[in-house]
Amino acid sequence: MRTKSPLCTIISEAAMSLIVDSIVKNFGEFGALKGVSFTAPQGAFVSLLGPSGSGKTTLLRVLGGLEFSDQGSVHFADLNWLAVPARARRAGFVFQHYALFRHMTVEKNVAFGLSVKPRRERPSRSEIRRRVEELLALVQLEGLGDRYPSQLSGGQRQRVALARALAIGPRMLLLDEPFGALDAKVRKELRGWLRLLHEKLGLTTVFVTHDQDEAFELADLVAIMNGGRIEQYGSPKDIRQSPRTSFVDEFVEVRSA
Amino acid sequence: MSIAAAPSLVRWRNPSALPGFGLTFGFALFYLSLIVLIPIAALVIRPWEIGWSGFWAVLADTRVQHALQLSFGASLIAVVINTVFGLIIAWVLVRYRFPGRRVLDALVDLPFALPTAVAGIALSALYARNGWMGQPLQQLGITVAYTPLGVVMALTFIGLPFVVRTLQPVLVELNGEAEEAAATLGATRFQSIRRVILPMLAPALLTGAALAFARAVGEYGSVIFIAGNLPHVSEIAPLLIIIKLNENDTAGAAAIGVIMLALSFVMLLMLNLLQVWTASRR
Amino acid sequence: MRTMRARAPTEDHPLFRWGLSLLAILFIASFLILPLVTVFQEALGGGFDAAWAVIREPDTLSAIRLTLITAAIAVPLNAAFGIAASWAISKFDFPGKGFLVTLIDLPFSVSPVVSGLIYVLVFGLQGWFGETLREHGIRIIFALPGIILATIFVSFPFVARELIPLMNDQGRDDEEAAVSLGASGWSTFRLVTLPNIKWGLLYGVLLCNARAMGEFGAVSVVSGRIRGMTNTMPLHIEALYNDYQYVGAFAVASLLALLALVTLIVKSILEWRYADEIAAVHHH
């Protein structure tokens, strides 16, 4: 069942928006995504919120090129997004368990995306180092370039992962429950920090979470997902005030303030 | 673990709430002393019965040197082959699905389970001039049986499981997330493998190679049937030990044994250091 | 609009996949399968009856008997050691634990020939106890006791190495609970520990037995190589082979090869069918 608010119809006319249209993804018999559509303006912070098994991570991975949809299309940045292979999309992906390269220092991790560019496009070594330092400063990890991931805390590792994703100058940022493996206090800190970062950089961001507070605090637009479909899509305020289905109603029930 | 004075004495007498320490530890220690400690002590002490000069004479004997060279040299070559193919086999077994994969996987343990003498005569027959492998190789001008090349083949056989079995759990653990991350960052498949996966496999590869090497250097049964056993040419060190024993040169045999033991210890030490070093980086 | 099916980031190029798989299969076929097949092919080269005739010869039968007796003594002793050592190591804290574990791993880094040599150095005619033993008419080297000792040395780590990590993983909670409820040490072991370690124990005993029955190098050194008396099966194979009795040698070899296959099959079955149980018992 597609949910398109009037807001989205107007926005989809703007260029550089993210247009997701009827994505279907099956794993054998299991329908992980049953026709998912939504639109977001460029620079928006979209959250995919739902219980486990709702398909939100699958949708994110389709956007990142790590899964292939069976049907449907995505348009972004004037591209037939799904036709572009993962490594050419420049969709920065941040994993729940960081996926940092354990055998590389922080600096090498962050520089990775730059160092694998084809020779013509690759910046010089000093340029790479400069950019890495810039990014480490941005994520407040200056001076930790020579450490190994195992020597960092969880919160620090996730910030390295973010810096690494930002290094390639991504067109969009995809985050898969990035704070899920961290304890509550660190989660809250990073939440505020991510919001500030987003306001500074203005990147189109899609953020998967099962934590309602997180989604509502961070996102401009929230998609409530359940069983492979979007139950409701809109601003946090809209969803709280006018839940469309009983599932949404129950899901956001506890916080009515 | 350092041993302080009184506190550890208390620990010795009362190391835990559970019963049976005296019995089990005592039995284990007794068993080990009888079976391991005393005999190894004999190995370490006895070569010096012929004094330092006698020991050096053994080392200086070119026949001994050639035997050691063959044992170590052939082992090194065999280990290099095993490292390359062990990596390929482990990769295929862990990452690909095809009918019969489980059977192949079980077969990798064959060199562990098969008695060395059985492997020895089988390899000898296989690579003999009229053997299934020996014949086509002969037509290419390559003689395997009774040459150092035969020794390499035999050592390759027995060393394979060490590399594969050490690599497999590490490959299984590499669940693909690192590769996905590399791809989203713009790396080609080749770059992902070369810069992300292989370095992560390197410690396990080295460990497996070291284990295979340690086993290969001392190997006897699989090798003596296919080796020519010609002194200075195709004679392995363990055989030389037996020959010296038969000549009643007990001290000489012990001398060679001690050299081989010392080299094994060095390998074990290097292995441990390697593991400590990699553990600190992860 | 249709989406293009490209390769997932964790998939290899089909050509690469085929190439690697082919290489792997060829290598396994030529290095592992061929030798195994050779054993049976050479054994049955003169027909089944010829092979069977050699097996029924008295020298062969006594070699089989010697191998079985050696294993029957060495394996239970090694199992007892393995259980005792892993109990001591996993249930207690004491200094020198690391040294103990290294000692247990020692036979794996020692050449089989050296494994036999060390007993000759202690018990042989020129050994430390050589004179004493000769005076009392006790023969260890060149007789059954020597063979058993050497076999014990090369095969004792298997049970211990299997049980130590297993029992370390399982911790002490269950046993401490039993003791606090009043159980004696032996009852605790029998009723609480043993059921938890049974698969590991079986696995270790299996490997220990395979090694004990197949040991060649170490036994070569300590045995007198007297046919019909101090030849185990591997030594008998060597004797037949050196006598150019190839069919005979391979016939006896096939018996051991069959044992190896049975060991592999049982090992695989244990791993496949009881993987869940084994994993469950590992996570405490």
Side-chain angles (χ1 to χ4, degrees), chain A residues 213-245:
Chain A
D213 293 333
E214 212 161 66
F216 282 15
E217 194 180 306
L218 286 170
D220 303 316
L221 294 160
V222 177
I224 310 269
M225 292 188 69
N226 182 34
R229 295 185 219 277
I230 296 184
E231 298 255 346
Q232 185 168 355
Y233 180 63
S235 72
K237 191 160 147 242
D238 274 346
I239 293 180
R240 267 204 220 108
Q241 287 181 345
S242 9
R244 291 277 175 83
T245 70

PDB file of all heavy atoms in Angstrom, chain A residues 213-245:
ATOM      1  N   ASP A 213      12.617   7.514  19.449  1.00  0.00           N
ATOM      2  CA  ASP A 213      13.144   8.808  19.881  1.00  0.00           C
ATOM      3  C   ASP A 213      14.203   9.297  18.918  1.00  0.00           C
ATOM      4  O   ASP A 213      14.241  10.468  18.529  1.00  0.00           O
ATOM      5  CB  ASP A 213      13.760   8.697  21.285  1.00  0.00           C
ATOM      6  CG  ASP A 213      12.699   8.402  22.319  1.00  0.00           C
ATOM      7  OD1 ASP A 213      11.535   8.784  22.075  1.00  0.00           O
ATOM      8  OD2 ASP A 213      13.041   7.794  23.350  1.00  0.00           O
ATOM      9  N   GLU A 214      15.053   8.353  18.562  1.00  0.00           N
ATOM     10  CA  GLU A 214      16.144   8.679  17.657  1.00  0.00           C
ATOM     11  C   GLU A 214      15.591   9.210  16.339  1.00  0.00           C
ATOM     12  O   GLU A 214      15.991  10.271  15.855  1.00  0.00           O
ATOM     13  CB  GLU A 214      16.959   7.413  17.410  1.00  0.00           C
ATOM     14  CG  GLU A 214      18.417   7.646  17.170  1.00  0.00           C
ATOM     15  CD  GLU A 214      19.199   6.356  17.394  1.00  0.00           C
ATOM     16  OE1 GLU A 214      18.995   5.406  16.606  1.00  0.00           O
ATOM     17  OE2 GLU A 214      19.979   6.310  18.354  1.00  0.00           O
ATOM     18  N   ALA A 215      14.644   8.459  15.784  1.00  0.00           N
ATOM     19  CA  ALA A 215      14.100   8.837  14.479  1.00  0.00           C
ATOM     20  C   ALA A 215      13.445  10.206  14.542  1.00  0.00           C
ATOM     21  O   ALA A 215      13.681  11.078  13.717  1.00  0.00           O
ATOM     22  CB  ALA A 215      13.103   7.779  14.008  1.00  0.00           C
ATOM     23  N   PHE A 216      12.621  10.414  15.547  1.00  0.00           N
ATOM     24  CA  PHE A 216      11.868  11.660  15.600  1.00  0.00           C
ATOM     25  C   PHE A 216      12.755  12.852  15.912  1.00  0.00           C
ATOM     26  O   PHE A 216      12.486  13.971  15.487  1.00  0.00           O
ATOM     27  CB  PHE A 216      10.745  11.528  16.635  1.00  0.00           C
ATOM     28  CG  PHE A 216       9.580  10.742  16.117  1.00  0.00           C
ATOM     29  CD1 PHE A 216       9.695   9.958  14.975  1.00  0.00           C
ATOM     30  CD2 PHE A 216       8.365  10.767  16.769  1.00  0.00           C
ATOM     31  CE1 PHE A 216       8.630   9.227  14.493  1.00  0.00           C
ATOM     32  CE2 PHE A 216       7.281  10.037  16.297  1.00  0.00           C
ATOM     33  CZ  PHE A 216       7.410   9.270  15.162  1.00  0.00           C
ATOM     34  N   GLU A 217      13.807  12.603  16.679  1.00  0.00           N
ATOM     35  CA  GLU A 217      14.692  13.713  17.035  1.00  0.00           C
ATOM     36  C   GLU A 217      15.526  14.151  15.837  1.00  0.00           C
ATOM     37  O   GLU A 217      15.804  15.323  15.643  1.00  0.00           O
ATOM     38  CB  GLU A 217      15.611  13.272  18.168  1.00  0.00           C
ATOM     39  CG  GLU A 217      16.347  14.410  18.850  1.00  0.00           C
ATOM     40  CD  GLU A 217      17.238  13.865  19.963  1.00  0.00           C
ATOM     41  OE1 GLU A 217      16.706  13.131  20.829  1.00  0.00           O
ATOM     42  OE2 GLU A 217      18.449  14.149  19.957  1.00  0.00           O
ATOM     43  N   LEU A 218      15.966  13.170  15.039  1.00  0.00           N
ATOM     44  CA  LEU A 218      16.932  13.476  13.984  1.00  0.00           C
ATOM     45  C   LEU A 218      16.299  13.853  12.647  1.00  0.00           C
ATOM     46  O   LEU A 218      16.828  14.666  11.898  1.00  0.00           O
ATOM     47  CB  LEU A 218      17.841  12.264  13.754  1.00  0.00           C
ATOM     48  CG  LEU A 218      18.896  11.994  14.818  1.00  0.00           C
ATOM     49  CD1 LEU A 218      19.534  10.640  14.565  1.00  0.00           C
ATOM     50  CD2 LEU A 218      19.951  13.073  14.809  1.00  0.00           C
ATOM     51  N   ALA A 219      15.172  13.211  12.326  1.00  0.00           N
ATOM     52  CA  ALA A 219      14.762  13.246  10.924  1.00  0.00           C
ATOM     53  C   ALA A 219      13.811  14.393  10.578  1.00  0.00           C
ATOM     54  O   ALA A 219      13.055  14.871  11.409  1.00  0.00           O
ATOM     55  CB  ALA A 219      14.102  11.921  10.568  1.00  0.00           C
ATOM     56  N   ASP A 220      13.896  14.786   9.290  1.00  0.00           N
ATOM     57  CA  ASP A 220      12.892  15.691   8.737  1.00  0.00           C
ATOM     58  C   ASP A 220      11.663  14.893   8.321  1.00  0.00           C
ATOM     59  O   ASP A 220      10.532  15.352   8.445  1.00  0.00           O
ATOM     60  CB  ASP A 220      13.446  16.406   7.491  1.00  0.00           C
ATOM     61  CG  ASP A 220      14.718  17.167   7.791  1.00  0.00           C
ATOM     62  OD1 ASP A 220      14.762  17.842   8.831  1.00  0.00           O
ATOM     63  OD2 ASP A 220      15.664  17.080   6.980  1.00  0.00           O
ATOM     64  N   LEU A 221      11.940  13.717   7.760  1.00  0.00           N
ATOM     65  CA  LEU A 221      10.867  12.866   7.261  1.00  0.00           C
ATOM     66  C   LEU A 221      11.072  11.451   7.799  1.00  0.00           C
ATOM     67  O   LEU A 221      12.178  10.931   7.759  1.00  0.00           O
ATOM     68  CB  LEU A 221      10.878  12.832   5.724  1.00  0.00           C
ATOM     69  CG  LEU A 221      10.539  14.153   5.060  1.00  0.00           C
ATOM     70  CD1 LEU A 221      11.036  14.181   3.623  1.00  0.00           C
ATOM     71  CD2 LEU A 221       9.024  14.366   5.078  1.00  0.00           C
ATOM     72  N   VAL A 222       9.986  10.859   8.281  1.00  0.00           N
ATOM     73  CA  VAL A 222      10.095   9.515   8.835  1.00  0.00           C
ATOM     74  C   VAL A 222       9.194   8.574   8.061  1.00  0.00           C
ATOM     75  O   VAL A 222       8.051   8.912   7.754  1.00  0.00           O
ATOM     76  CB  VAL A 222       9.675   9.507  10.322  1.00  0.00           C
ATOM     77  CG1 VAL A 222       9.714   8.096  10.874  1.00  0.00           C
ATOM     78  CG2 VAL A 222      10.581  10.424  11.126  1.00  0.00           C
ATOM     79  N   ALA A 223       9.735   7.396   7.699  1.00  0.00           N
ATOM     80  CA  ALA A 223       8.911   6.357   7.078  1.00  0.00           C
ATOM     81  C   ALA A 223       8.734   5.246   8.096  1.00  0.00           C
ATOM     82  O   ALA A 223       9.699   4.616   8.491  1.00  0.00           O
ATOM     83  CB  ALA A 223       9.595   5.823   5.819  1.00  0.00           C
ATOM     84  N   ILE A 224       7.480   5.042   8.523  1.00  0.00           N
ATOM     85  CA  ILE A 224       7.221   3.949   9.460  1.00  0.00           C
ATOM     86  C   ILE A 224       7.038   2.689   8.626  1.00  0.00           C
ATOM     87  O   ILE A 224       6.135   2.621   7.776  1.00  0.00           O
ATOM     88  CB  ILE A 224       5.944   4.194  10.275  1.00  0.00           C
ATOM     89  CG1 ILE A 224       5.956   5.592  10.890  1.00  0.00           C
ATOM     90  CG2 ILE A 224       5.770   3.116  11.326  1.00  0.00           C
ATOM     91  CD1 ILE A 224       6.545   5.675  12.257  1.00  0.00           C
ATOM     92  N   MET A 225       7.897   1.707   8.837  1.00  0.00           N
ATOM     93  CA  MET A 225       7.836   0.496   8.019  1.00  0.00           C
ATOM     94  C   MET A 225       7.365  -0.692   8.829  1.00  0.00           C
ATOM     95  O   MET A 225       7.667  -0.796  10.031  1.00  0.00           O
ATOM     96  CB  MET A 225       9.209   0.196   7.416  1.00  0.00           C
ATOM     97  CG  MET A 225       9.622   1.224   6.377  1.00  0.00           C
ATOM     98  SD  MET A 225      11.112   0.747   5.505  1.00  0.00           S
ATOM     99  CE  MET A 225      10.532  -0.654   4.563  1.00  0.00           C
ATOM    100  N   ASN A 226       6.656  -1.571   8.149  1.00  0.00           N
ATOM    101  CA  ASN A 226       6.182  -2.777   8.798  1.00  0.00           C
ATOM    102  C   ASN A 226       5.933  -3.836   7.740  1.00  0.00           C
ATOM    103  O   ASN A 226       5.230  -3.576   6.757  1.00  0.00           O
ATOM    104  CB  ASN A 226       4.887  -2.480   9.568  1.00  0.00           C
ATOM    105  CG  ASN A 226       4.401  -3.710  10.306  1.00  0.00           C
ATOM    106  OD1 ASN A 226       5.181  -4.527  10.780  1.00  0.00           O
ATOM    107  ND2 ASN A 226       3.085  -3.852  10.399  1.00  0.00           N
ATOM    108  N   GLY A 227       6.523  -5.012   7.946  1.00  0.00           N
ATOM    109  CA  GLY A 227       6.275  -6.125   7.027  1.00  0.00           C
ATOM    110  C   GLY A 227       6.552  -5.798   5.575  1.00  0.00           C
ATOM    111  O   GLY A 227       5.821  -6.220   4.696  1.00  0.00           O
ATOM    112  N   GLY A 228       7.590  -5.035   5.293  1.00  0.00           N
ATOM    113  CA  GLY A 228       7.971  -4.787   3.908  1.00  0.00           C
ATOM    114  C   GLY A 228       7.237  -3.635   3.257  1.00  0.00           C
ATOM    115  O   GLY A 228       7.349  -3.438   2.044  1.00  0.00           O
ATOM    116  N   ARG A 229       6.453  -2.896   3.994  1.00  0.00           N
ATOM    117  CA  ARG A 229       5.749  -1.750   3.416  1.00  0.00           C
ATOM    118  C   ARG A 229       5.933  -0.514   4.292  1.00  0.00           C
ATOM    119  O   ARG A 229       6.224  -0.626   5.468  1.00  0.00           O
ATOM    120  CB  ARG A 229       4.254  -2.034   3.336  1.00  0.00           C
ATOM    121  CG  ARG A 229       3.894  -3.141   2.402  1.00  0.00           C
ATOM    122  CD  ARG A 229       2.368  -3.243   2.326  1.00  0.00           C
ATOM    123  NE  ARG A 229       1.951  -4.621   2.275  1.00  0.00           N
ATOM    124  CZ  ARG A 229       1.927  -5.346   1.159  1.00  0.00           C
ATOM    125  NH1 ARG A 229       2.299  -4.813   0.013  1.00  0.00           N
ATOM    126  NH2 ARG A 229       1.521  -6.606   1.188  1.00  0.00           N
ATOM    127  N   ILE A 230       5.707   0.650   3.666  1.00  0.00           N
ATOM    128  CA  ILE A 230       5.695   1.895   4.422  1.00  0.00           C
ATOM    129  C   ILE A 230       4.262   2.147   4.874  1.00  0.00           C
ATOM    130  O   ILE A 230       3.368   2.306   4.052  1.00  0.00           O
ATOM    131  CB  ILE A 230       6.197   3.076   3.583  1.00  0.00           C
ATOM    132  CG1 ILE A 230       7.674   2.850   3.203  1.00  0.00           C
ATOM    133  CG2 ILE A 230       6.065   4.373   4.354  1.00  0.00           C
ATOM    134  CD1 ILE A 230       8.284   4.005   2.452  1.00  0.00           C
ATOM    135  N   GLU A 231       4.078   2.158   6.186  1.00  0.00           N
ATOM    136  CA  GLU A 231       2.725   2.386   6.694  1.00  0.00           C
ATOM    137  C   GLU A 231       2.367   3.863   6.641  1.00  0.00           C
ATOM    138  O   GLU A 231       1.240   4.236   6.369  1.00  0.00           O
ATOM    139  CB  GLU A 231       2.629   1.867   8.139  1.00  0.00           C
ATOM    140  CG  GLU A 231       2.872   0.372   8.256  1.00  0.00           C
ATOM    141  CD  GLU A 231       1.585  -0.396   8.493  1.00  0.00           C
ATOM    142  OE1 GLU A 231       0.566   0.235   8.830  1.00  0.00           O
ATOM    143  OE2 GLU A 231       1.603  -1.620   8.329  1.00  0.00           O
ATOM    144  N   GLN A 232       3.366   4.696   6.964  1.00  0.00           N
ATOM    145  CA  GLN A 232       3.111   6.127   6.883  1.00  0.00           C
ATOM    146  C   GLN A 232       4.420   6.851   6.664  1.00  0.00           C
ATOM    147  O   GLN A 232       5.469   6.444   7.155  1.00  0.00           O
ATOM    148  CB  GLN A 232       2.448   6.634   8.164  1.00  0.00           C
ATOM    149  CG  GLN A 232       2.054   8.096   8.080  1.00  0.00           C
ATOM    150  CD  GLN A 232       1.152   8.495   9.228  1.00  0.00           C
ATOM    151  OE1 GLN A 232       0.752   7.663  10.032  1.00  0.00           O
ATOM    152  NE2 GLN A 232       0.837   9.779   9.303  1.00  0.00           N
ATOM    153  N   TYR A 233       4.338   7.947   5.927  1.00  0.00           N
ATOM    154  CA  TYR A 233       5.553   8.704   5.614  1.00  0.00           C
ATOM    155  C   TYR A 233       5.249  10.180   5.761  1.00  0.00           C
ATOM    156  O   TYR A 233       4.337  10.704   5.150  1.00  0.00           O
ATOM    157  CB  TYR A 233       5.982   8.389   4.177  1.00  0.00           C
ATOM    158  CG  TYR A 233       7.218   9.109   3.727  1.00  0.00           C
ATOM    159  CD1 TYR A 233       8.449   8.886   4.345  1.00  0.00           C
ATOM    160  CD2 TYR A 233       7.170  10.018   2.672  1.00  0.00           C
ATOM    161  CE1 TYR A 233       9.587   9.541   3.918  1.00  0.00           C
ATOM    162  CE2 TYR A 233       8.316  10.673   2.240  1.00  0.00           C
ATOM    163  CZ  TYR A 233       9.520  10.432   2.865  1.00  0.00           C
ATOM    164  OH  TYR A 233      10.654  11.079   2.438  1.00  0.00           O
ATOM    165  N   GLY A 234       6.026  10.836   6.586  1.00  0.00           N
ATOM    166  CA  GLY A 234       5.772  12.265   6.736  1.00  0.00           C
ATOM    167  C   GLY A 234       6.676  12.846   7.806  1.00  0.00           C
ATOM    168  O   GLY A 234       7.600  12.183   8.273  1.00  0.00           O
ATOM    169  N   SER A 235       6.438  14.072   8.178  1.00  0.00           N
ATOM    170  CA  SER A 235       7.259  14.683   9.217  1.00  0.00           C
ATOM    171  C   SER A 235       6.884  14.056  10.547  1.00  0.00           C
ATOM    172  O   SER A 235       5.793  13.530  10.724  1.00  0.00           O
ATOM    173  CB  SER A 235       7.008  16.186   9.256  1.00  0.00           C
ATOM    174  OG  SER A 235       5.726  16.421   9.805  1.00  0.00           O
ATOM    175  N   PRO A 236       7.812  14.117  11.486  1.00  0.00           N
ATOM    176  CA  PRO A 236       7.532  13.529  12.804  1.00  0.00           C
ATOM    177  C   PRO A 236       6.246  14.099  13.419  1.00  0.00           C
ATOM    178  O   PRO A 236       5.453  13.360  13.995  1.00  0.00           O
ATOM    179  CB  PRO A 236       8.762  13.931  13.628  1.00  0.00           C
ATOM    180  CG  PRO A 236       9.845  14.081  12.621  1.00  0.00           C
ATOM    181  CD  PRO A 236       9.202  14.575  11.378  1.00  0.00           C
ATOM    182  N   LYS A 237       6.048  15.384  13.236  1.00  0.00           N
ATOM    183  CA  LYS A 237       4.871  16.013  13.826  1.00  0.00           C
ATOM    184  C   LYS A 237       3.605  15.423  13.225  1.00  0.00           C
ATOM    185  O   LYS A 237       2.682  15.042  13.943  1.00  0.00           O
ATOM    186  CB  LYS A 237       4.937  17.526  13.528  1.00  0.00           C
ATOM    187  CG  LYS A 237       3.944  18.349  14.280  1.00  0.00           C
ATOM    188  CD  LYS A 237       4.399  19.812  14.303  1.00  0.00           C
ATOM    189  CE  LYS A 237       3.181  20.724  14.283  1.00  0.00           C
ATOM    190  NZ  LYS A 237       3.012  21.617  13.177  1.00  0.00           N
ATOM    191  N   ASP A 238       3.586  15.316  11.878  1.00  0.00           N
ATOM    192  CA  ASP A 238       2.433  14.742  11.186  1.00  0.00           C
ATOM    193  C   ASP A 238       2.106  13.365  11.717  1.00  0.00           C
ATOM    194  O   ASP A 238       0.950  13.038  11.978  1.00  0.00           O
ATOM    195  CB  ASP A 238       2.743  14.581   9.685  1.00  0.00           C
ATOM    196  CG  ASP A 238       2.435  15.860   8.944  1.00  0.00           C
ATOM    197  OD1 ASP A 238       1.762  16.723   9.528  1.00  0.00           O
ATOM    198  OD2 ASP A 238       2.877  15.960   7.786  1.00  0.00           O
ATOM    199  N   ILE A 239       3.126  12.566  11.833  1.00  0.00           N
ATOM    200  CA  ILE A 239       2.888  11.168  12.214  1.00  0.00           C
ATOM    201  C   ILE A 239       2.332  11.101  13.623  1.00  0.00           C
ATOM    202  O   ILE A 239       1.422  10.331  13.920  1.00  0.00           O
ATOM    203  CB  ILE A 239       4.185  10.351  12.093  1.00  0.00           C
ATOM    204  CG1 ILE A 239       4.571  10.253  10.613  1.00  0.00           C
ATOM    205  CG2 ILE A 239       4.019   8.973  12.698  1.00  0.00           C
ATOM    206  CD1 ILE A 239       5.814   9.471  10.349  1.00  0.00           C
ATOM    207  N   ARG A 240       2.883  11.938  14.502  1.00  0.00           N
ATOM    208  CA  ARG A 240       2.403  11.886  15.883  1.00  0.00           C
ATOM    209  C   ARG A 240       0.978  12.352  15.964  1.00  0.00           C
ATOM    210  O   ARG A 240       0.152  11.780  16.677  1.00  0.00           O
ATOM    211  CB  ARG A 240       3.292  12.758  16.781  1.00  0.00           C
ATOM    212  CG  ARG A 240       4.402  11.974  17.403  1.00  0.00           C
ATOM    213  CD  ARG A 240       4.895  12.626  18.674  1.00  0.00           C
ATOM    214  NE  ARG A 240       6.331  12.499  18.707  1.00  0.00           N
ATOM    215  CZ  ARG A 240       7.182  13.506  18.524  1.00  0.00           C
ATOM    216  NH1 ARG A 240       6.738  14.726  18.311  1.00  0.00           N
ATOM    217  NH2 ARG A 240       8.475  13.297  18.552  1.00  0.00           N
ATOM    218  N   GLN A 241       0.674  13.398  15.230  1.00  0.00           N
ATOM    219  CA  GLN A 241      -0.653  13.987  15.387  1.00  0.00           C
ATOM    220  C   GLN A 241      -1.706  13.216  14.617  1.00  0.00           C
ATOM    221  O   GLN A 241      -2.847  13.110  15.063  1.00  0.00           O
ATOM    222  CB  GLN A 241      -0.636  15.443  14.935  1.00  0.00           C
ATOM    223  CG  GLN A 241       0.090  16.328  15.927  1.00  0.00           C
ATOM    224  CD  GLN A 241       0.081  17.778  15.502  1.00  0.00           C
ATOM    225  OE1 GLN A 241      -0.222  18.100  14.342  1.00  0.00           O
ATOM    226  NE2 GLN A 241       0.387  18.675  16.414  1.00  0.00           N
ATOM    227  N   SER A 242      -1.350  12.732  13.437  1.00  0.00           N
ATOM    228  CA  SER A 242      -2.366  11.997  12.677  1.00  0.00           C
ATOM    229  C   SER A 242      -1.852  10.664  12.175  1.00  0.00           C
ATOM    230  O   SER A 242      -1.516  10.520  10.999  1.00  0.00           O
ATOM    231  CB  SER A 242      -2.858  12.833  11.493  1.00  0.00           C
ATOM    232  OG  SER A 242      -2.075  13.984  11.317  1.00  0.00           O
ATOM    233  N   PRO A 243      -1.807   9.685  13.044  1.00  0.00           N
ATOM    234  CA  PRO A 243      -1.403   8.342  12.604  1.00  0.00           C
ATOM    235  C   PRO A 243      -2.431   7.783  11.634  1.00  0.00           C
ATOM    236  O   PRO A 243      -3.624   7.873  11.868  1.00  0.00           O
ATOM    237  CB  PRO A 243      -1.348   7.532  13.891  1.00  0.00           C
ATOM    238  CG  PRO A 243      -2.172   8.280  14.866  1.00  0.00           C
ATOM    239  CD  PRO A 243      -2.122   9.711  14.495  1.00  0.00           C
ATOM    240  N   ARG A 244      -1.932   7.176  10.540  1.00  0.00           N
ATOM    241  CA  ARG A 244      -2.840   6.722   9.483  1.00  0.00           C
ATOM    242  C   ARG A 244      -3.397   5.336   9.729  1.00  0.00           C
ATOM    243  O   ARG A 244      -4.511   5.034   9.341  1.00  0.00           O
ATOM    244  CB  ARG A 244      -2.112   6.661   8.128  1.00  0.00           C
ATOM    245  CG  ARG A 244      -1.749   7.959   7.555  1.00  0.00           C
ATOM    246  CD  ARG A 244      -2.924   8.603   6.780  1.00  0.00           C
ATOM    247  NE  ARG A 244      -2.511   9.927   6.351  1.00  0.00           N
ATOM    248  CZ  ARG A 244      -1.792  10.148   5.260  1.00  0.00           C
ATOM    249  NH1 ARG A 244      -1.475   9.141   4.473  1.00  0.00           N
ATOM    250  NH2 ARG A 244      -1.396  11.354   4.962  1.00  0.00           N
ATOM    251  N   THR A 245      -2.565   4.473  10.296  1.00  0.00           N
ATOM    252  CA  THR A 245      -3.041   3.101  10.490  1.00  0.00           C
ATOM    253  C   THR A 245      -2.919   2.721  11.954  1.00  0.00           C
ATOM    254  O   THR A 245      -2.282   3.422  12.741  1.00  0.00           O
ATOM    255  CB  THR A 245      -2.206   2.103   9.668  1.00  0.00           C
ATOM    256  OG1 THR A 245      -0.906   2.017  10.257  1.00  0.00           O
ATOM    257  CG2 THR A 245      -2.087   2.532   8.223  1.00  0.00           C
TER     258      THR A 245
END
